[in-house]
Amino acid sequence: MRAVRFVALGDSLTAGVGDFTEDGPRGWAALLAPSLGAGTRFTNLAVSGAQTRDVLERQTPAALALRPDLAAVVVGVNDTLRHTFDIHAVAARLDQIYAACTREGATLLTACLPDPGAMLGLPSALAAPLARRQRAVNAVVHALSDRYGAVHLHACDGGWIADRALWSADRLHPGERGHRRLAVRFHALLAEAGHATGQPPCPEPEFPAPTRAASLLWLATAGTAWVARRCRDLLPQLLSLAAEELRHCAHGTGAELDATASAAVAAALAALPQRRPAPAPAGAAALTGLPPCAALPTPGPLDLGVGIG
């Protein structure tokens, strides 16, 4: 039997930030790869900070050149953290990425993710706009995962978010234990769909958790630099969005913001070209557990609050 060719595309989550070894970042995809079967050939193309544009323009051509059997595409959080966020553009890029991978015969591996505002514990007026953006991205990922027969992981459940032992000092990336949790959950889905023949990844950490001193040092150096970059890019717009959030809350019209976001997602999905869907992997329908919003909708309201994660 030919060895599985597994390629991972995405941002810092898939690049392995938070799961640091002596050789550098490792991450859930690298932990998952050996469990797919003997001789699996794994290539990690993910880059910290990548947005959907980066994955489409840079990572996807490199991935297709490797002719993968399995392509993990987990991206979108960084798009929500930019002042240029546009759900129409995100949907169009993800559609092109998924279509390109499945057109070459690869099985897609996708995930919806928690919103960064909740992870960072921001005040509600600041967190709500980011949450709305992440729900929009998740709704698009749900819909397109269904469309292209992806093996899809819901990674937004409350237990996953609330367990701080799974997360690194920056509160945005999993630690080693969290990366291992992702790898185990992905393996279970892939095994049931017939795409993983090896033993599941070990859920227990190989390395001791960073000390409090090491975590504080990271936050004071790399963490501070990250916050500074995001402040320059996102903060002015986020403050404006927060002011709008507070105005709507004061007038009891907060539902209007959700309705506007829902309409934008529905319009973004409806505008996508009607490509011929790829055949779904065996067992995929039972595995994805996609909510009602996952089907490509006709123009109209889309409930972003249903079944995300």
Side-chain angles (χ1 to χ4, degrees):
M1 180 180 293
R2 182 173 61 82
V4 173
R5 291 175 297 213
F6 174 33
V7 177
L9 302 84
D11 54 28
S12 55
L13 173 67
T14 303
V17 172
D19 178 26
F20 296 107
T21 71
E22 295 176 354
D23 299 321
R26 177 179 49 185
W28 69 266
L31 291 165
L32 171 65
S35 72
L36 298 179
T40 295
R41 293 159 54 187
F42 171 60
T43 303
N44 196 342
L45 299 173
V47 176
S48 183
Q51 301 176 56
T52 52
R53 181 188 297 278
D54 302 306
V55 173
L56 174 61
E57 296 179 354
R58 301 175 187 175
Q59 297 179 27
T60 299
L64 296 181
L66 297 170
R67 301 181 63 189
D69 301 298
L70 179 66
V73 181
V74 182
V75 67
V77 171
N78 285 315
D79 291 76
T80 72
L81 296 174
R82 300 299 194 276
H83 74 278
T84 54
F85 177 74
D86 179 359
I87 193 59
H88 288 76
V90 169
R93 291 170 193 149
L94 287 176
D95 182 58
Q96 292 176 68
I97 296 164
Y98 291 4
C101 291
T102 55
R103 189 164 53 240
E104 296 301 318
T107 296
L108 281 171
L109 188 59
T110 64
C112 61
L113 299 171
D115 75 88
M119 298 307 305
L120 290 170
L122 296 178
S124 59
L126 294 172
L130 293 181
R132 198 172 289 111
R133 287 181 173 187
Q134 190 60 47
R135 288 198 301 270
V137 171
N138 284 344
V140 167
V141 171
H142 280 309
L144 294 181
S145 295
D146 188 39
R147 183 180 197 179
Y148 290 101
V151 176
H152 178 74
L153 174 67
H154 296 271
C156 294
D157 56 272
W160 157 256
I161 297 171
D163 188 351
R164 300 309 307 175
L166 299 176
W167 296 87
S168 66
D170 67 5
R171 289 178 159 240
L172 281 174
H173 300 94
E176 182 188 355
R177 188 180 295 274
H179 278 281
R180 287 185 176 277
R181 170 76 66 86
L182 283 174
V184 168
R185 292 178 66 183
F186 271 125
H187 178 270
L189 294 177
L190 289 166
E192 192 169 345
H195 296 299
T197 59
Q199 292 297 310
C202 177
E204 295 303 318
E206 178 182 0
F207 301 99
T211 64
R212 179 174 176 78
S215 297
L216 290 174
L217 177 62
W218 186 94
L219 288 172
T221 54
T224 300
W226 183 90
V227 170
R229 289 194 298 271
R230 292 290 70 76
C231 285
R232 289 195 300 271
D233 183 83
L234 176 65
L235 187 57
Q237 184 191 46
L238 185 57
L239 291 175
S240 176
L241 293 172
E244 182 181 20
E245 195 82 31
L246 290 172
R247 284 196 301 271
H248 277 277
C249 288
H251 291 89
T253 56
E256 294 180 6
L257 295 173
D258 292 330
T260 299
S262 297
V265 172
L269 291 172
L272 297 177
Q274 295 302 307
R275 308 180 197 276
R276 178 175 297 178
L287 292 174
T288 55
L290 296 175
C293 67
L296 284 175
T298 55
L302 179 65
D303 184 0
L304 295 183
V306 177
I308 299 300

